[in-house]
Amino acid sequence: MAFFDWLGALPGAAAQGIIWGIMAIGVYITYKILDVADLTVDGSICTGGAVCAVLVTSGVNVWVALAVATVAGILCGLLTGFFHTFMGIPAILAGILTQLILWSVNLKIMGQANLAVPSRAFKVLIAASRVPKSLLVLAGFMIVLIAVLYWFFGTEMGASLRATGSNIQMSRAQGINTELNKIFGLALSNGVVALSGALLTQYQGFADINMGRGAIVIGLASVIIGEAVTARFAKNFAVKLLGVILGGVIYYFVYQTVVFLGLDTDLLKMLSAIVVAIFLAVPYWKKRYFSNPKKKEEKRDA
Amino acid sequence: MLELKNITKTFFPGTVNEKVALNDVSITLNDGDFVTIIGGNGAGKSTMLNAIAGVWRPDCGQILIDGVDVTHLPEHKRAKYLGRVFQDPMMGTAKDMEIEENLALALRRGKRRGLRWRITRAEREQYRELLAGLDLGLETRMTAKVGLLSGGQRQAVTLLMATLKTPKLLLLDEHTAALDPKTAAKVLELTDQIIAEKKLTAMMVTHNMKDAIVHGNRLIMMHNGRIIFDVSGVEKKNLTVETLLEKFSQSSGEEFANDRALLN
């Protein structure tokens, strides 16, 4: 019986996984491409959700709400970028500052800590009560987003953004405005994150001031899982992005499974964080304990 | 071509680590000058190149490139005049990007980077030819990530990148120092070849006195943030390591304390 319950819950988990996977693509842009750890996302995902909730409940078209939510996220990223470049604050701290600012801003946007957007009362694109349709819509969002990002990072401007993340000295020497690129990347990333927040709000039927807590960890987990799963064959950028979404879906499958096994859900955040910590440590451990090319060479010479 | 007027730079002013890296340095380069720069550690050789490149602003003084005052231009805006190769072979290329992508980035130095595709088919052919000219077999690996290349290969690619869009001035900051002797010789030969072909104005910092004498048409020696010796033409051609060392102790009142330079 429980097995079929679990099986029945998988499509819903997949939908949530795609939403968080889209969020993780935002994290991928900063963490992997720009080489900046941006903690703004914990706040900007909620900003996206709050803006969407307020607009939809006041009768605004849901597509317009999604667009405005995305723009709100872009503004969050701009603020962090401003802190980081113009004010010279380290990226992590800049993100934390914006996150704290957004806590107040998000409360002001919603006027309360929680705002319901019941799918019965309002016209929304996706809802937990309509999983098959939601999955289709989300797949559409996923494909369009990946296509747009694949195109953008293939352009001159996108390539200069990748160069900024890969080697900042070289980028400057080649005439790339690295500060501007960092701001742009942070804005793009948080726009994507806020879009996912708006989608999440519709899907779960409410926006909540706490909905973004620990989002960065889920994002990182999705990026890491996605990389591990697609490492073998992911040379293509689009496949890598698809891998990130897949990472989000796998994360929610595991989440669902653990819940069904009866684990205390209060512990989930801790477990996610520990798993991410271990995965982040693996490359460091590998370098420190398992490879010592110099020694090997000396042996060969001797 | 290039004019430095009374450039002074002090690092960590007002602390125990205070260091006058450049002390009232003035120099004028003519079109087509290939200047080699030698001097001990901390003499100000790299600092002078960084001042020209705009890594930071000098405390005072003026920098003109082709008559344009660039003293207050940020590094990325000055880049359109300059080609740069660094001592660290890892520094001149983006390791996560393909060889051809790196070259395409360099071709667009000084241009607006818009939403056109990052590389065109015609460019690819151009890169293939240029890479084939290096004779390192890179022309068949154009979509390989630069991170997979050796230090010498990366330095050769960096040199291509620095000169792909012809710079007004080429800055070489000990660009062969981190390479093994054979590779260093090859990269240096390539440097000579490119500078001659494109008739570039160039500055090359080196630790190797012999290289400093053999290459270029002008030689500068630096000490304690000052230019203490500047020689060109026939006089430069007739220099020997011994006369250079003599000049050094004459001008500075010290022995040349740099084993690396002496041993070479």
Side-chain angles (χ1 to χ4, degrees):
Chain A
M1 232 11 230
F3 174 74
F4 288 104
D5 283 348
W6 174 78
L7 210 61
L10 284 188
Q16 274 197 304
I18 295 175
I19 295 172
W20 284 95
I22 290 174
M23 207 263 352
I25 283 183
V27 172
Y28 184 91
I29 292 171
T30 46
Y31 182 70
K32 278 284 165 187
I33 297 178
L34 215 55
D35 197 23
V36 164
D38 175 33
L39 300 188
T40 315
V41 293
D42 279 28
S44 59
I45 188 170
C46 179
T47 306
V51 168
C52 180
V54 167
L55 290 180
V56 168
T57 51
S58 47
V60 175
N61 177 284
V62 64
W63 289 100
V64 176
L66 275 177
V68 176
T70 306
V71 171
I74 289 172
L75 292 176
C76 302
L78 284 179
L79 183 62
T80 302
F82 179 80
F83 281 152
H84 178 44
T85 58
F86 183 74
M87 293 173 69
I89 299 168
I92 289 195
L93 203 50
I96 291 175
L97 290 175
T98 308
Q99 198 189 103
L100 204 63
I101 289 171
L102 290 179
W103 176 272
S104 302
V105 171
N106 293 340
L107 278 174
K108 282 291 161 201
I109 291 172
M110 290 192 286
Q112 57 208 59
N114 188 297
L115 190 59
V117 195
S119 59
R120 286 167 277 107
F122 301 102
K123 229 177 134 76
V124 288
L125 295 171
I126 52 175
S129 55
R130 298 193 297 257
V131 171
K133 190 203 160 205
S134 299
L135 274 174
L136 271 179
V137 173
L138 286 171
F141 270 98
M142 178 182 94
I143 290 165
V144 171
L145 180 69
I146 290 178
V148 168
L149 290 178
Y150 180 83
W151 164 77
F152 174 73
F153 282 105
T155 64
E156 292 173 349
M157 202 196 267
S160 83
L161 218 75
R162 283 156 53 211
T164 302
S166 178
N167 184 341
I168 197 157
Q169 278 117 344
M170 167 268 195
S171 301
R172 289 197 189 120
Q174 296 302 342
I176 293 168
N177 189 341
T178 51
E179 303 292 272
L180 195 71
N181 273 356
K182 279 189 192 170
I183 296 177
F184 189 86
L186 285 165
L188 179 66
S189 159
N190 282 289
V192 173
V193 170
L195 172 70
S196 83
L199 290 170
L200 183 62
T201 290
Q202 294 180 39
Y203 185 79
Q204 64 188 13
F206 64 89
D208 186 278
I209 190 68
N210 283 317
M211 69 191 271
R213 181 161 291 174
I216 182 74
V217 175
I218 300 178
L220 287 176
S222 307
V223 169
I224 292 165
I225 297 169
E227 260 188 349
V229 174
T230 58
R232 286 277 161 79
F233 49 92
K235 279 256 158 61
N236 185 292
F237 183 64
V239 180
K240 282 186 186 170
L241 291 182
L242 200 63
V244 174
I245 301 241
L246 193 63
V249 172
I250 292 172
Y251 180 91
Y252 267 87
F253 278 0
V254 172
Y255 178 98
Q256 203 63 252
T257 308
V258 171
V259 169
F260 265 91
L261 291 176
L263 189 91
D264 184 353
T265 48
D266 289 346
L267 296 178
L268 281 173
K269 285 211 160 128
M270 183 180 78
L271 290 178
S272 316
I274 291 173
V275 169
V276 167
I278 292 171
F279 270 101
L280 289 178
V282 166
Y284 173 74
W285 286 340
K286 262 192 192 159
K287 210 158 123 193
R288 192 179 163 120
Y289 301 110
F290 296 104
S291 77
N292 208 335
K294 256 193 188 153
K295 261 193 187 157
K296 269 183 204 156
E297 250 167 51
E298 275 166 21
K299 265 184 205 158
R300 213 182 297 142
D301 286 347
Chain B
M1 166 64 236
L2 172 79
E3 265 182 277
L4 298 189
K5 293 182 185 168
N6 312 99
I7 297 292
T8 297
K9 178 72 186 177
T10 306
F11 288 116
F12 316 113
T15 71
V16 282
N17 294 322
E18 184 172 293
K19 160 95 184 145
V20 182
L22 290 176
N23 191 351
D24 199 27
V25 170
S26 297
I27 184 175
T28 303
L29 259 62
N30 301 313
D31 264 328
D33 264 356
F34 178 3
V35 186
T36 56
I37 305 166
I38 52 170
N41 293 326
K45 311 177 300 282
S46 297
T47 314
M48 182 162 76
L49 258 50
N50 285 339
I52 298 167
V55 177
W56 27 254
R57 281 180 201 177
D59 300 333
C60 59
Q62 209 183 8
I63 301 168
L64 296 144
I65 298 176
D66 248 0
V68 182
D69 187 346
V70 299
T71 319
H72 298 289
L73 275 190
E75 193 177 354
H76 71 268
K77 282 197 181 154
R78 257 184 241 196
K80 72 174 161 200
Y81 304 114
L82 305 170
R84 289 162 71 192
V85 186
F86 312 95
Q87 177 173 359
D88 182 355
M90 307 297 136
M91 214 163 134
T93 42
K95 67 173 190 316
D96 308 309
M97 298 177 77
E98 297 165 358
I99 295 176
E100 59 175 30
E101 283 182 324
N102 270 277
L103 290 165
L105 280 172
L107 187 71
R108 287 160 180 76
R109 176 156 38 81
K111 280 192 209 143
R112 235 181 68 88
R113 290 165 210 265
L115 294 176
R116 285 180 303 269
W117 203 241
R118 66 188 180 281
I119 185 167
T120 67
R121 193 172 298 176
E123 272 170 50
R124 244 180 222 128
E125 284 317 303
Q126 186 195 349
Y127 300 156
R128 198 183 307 279
E129 268 173 43
L130 286 169
L131 287 168
L134 297 180
D135 206 17
L136 295 169
L138 295 180
E139 67 276 10
T140 57
R141 301 172 62 192
M142 283 177 34
T143 55
K145 296 272 190 304
V146 166
L148 299 170
L149 307 186
S150 70
Q153 289 173 326
R154 280 180 81 162
Q155 211 61 327
V157 171
T158 309
L159 197 57
L160 268 194
M161 287 168 65
T163 52
L164 192 54
K165 182 177 172 294
T166 308
K168 286 196 186 295
L169 178 64
L170 179 63
L171 301 176
L172 308 164
D173 190 356
E174 291 198 54
H175 67 307
T176 60
L179 308 176
D180 65 81
K182 210 175 137 198
T183 315
K186 184 154 192 190
V187 169
L188 209 50
E189 185 190 326
L190 184 68
T191 309
D192 267 344
Q193 186 191 322
I194 291 177
I195 289 176
E197 253 170 38
K198 298 204 158 199
K199 298 188 176 60
L200 297 176
T201 311
M203 296 175 99
M204 178 172 89
V205 173
T206 174
H207 260 103
N208 187 321
M209 289 206 175
K210 237 194 272 160
D211 284 345
I213 293 169
V214 173
H215 300 271
N217 66 326
R218 185 171 169 188
L219 182 147
I220 290 173
M221 188 184 263
M222 294 187 76
H223 183 65
N224 281 344
R226 288 174 182 278
I227 294 173
I228 55 169
F229 184 49
D230 182 349
V231 53
S232 51
V234 184
E235 196 189 344
K236 191 228 163 218
K237 268 198 195 125
N238 295 333
L239 278 176
T240 60
V241 173
E242 286 73 28
T243 50
L244 264 185
L245 288 171
E246 211 174 292
K247 280 277 179 198
F248 181 83
S249 50
Q250 264 174 27
S251 316
S252 68
E254 293 172 31
E255 289 294 313
F256 194 92
N258 190 322
D259 294 344
R260 255 169 84 203
L262 294 180
L263 289 172
N264 278 313

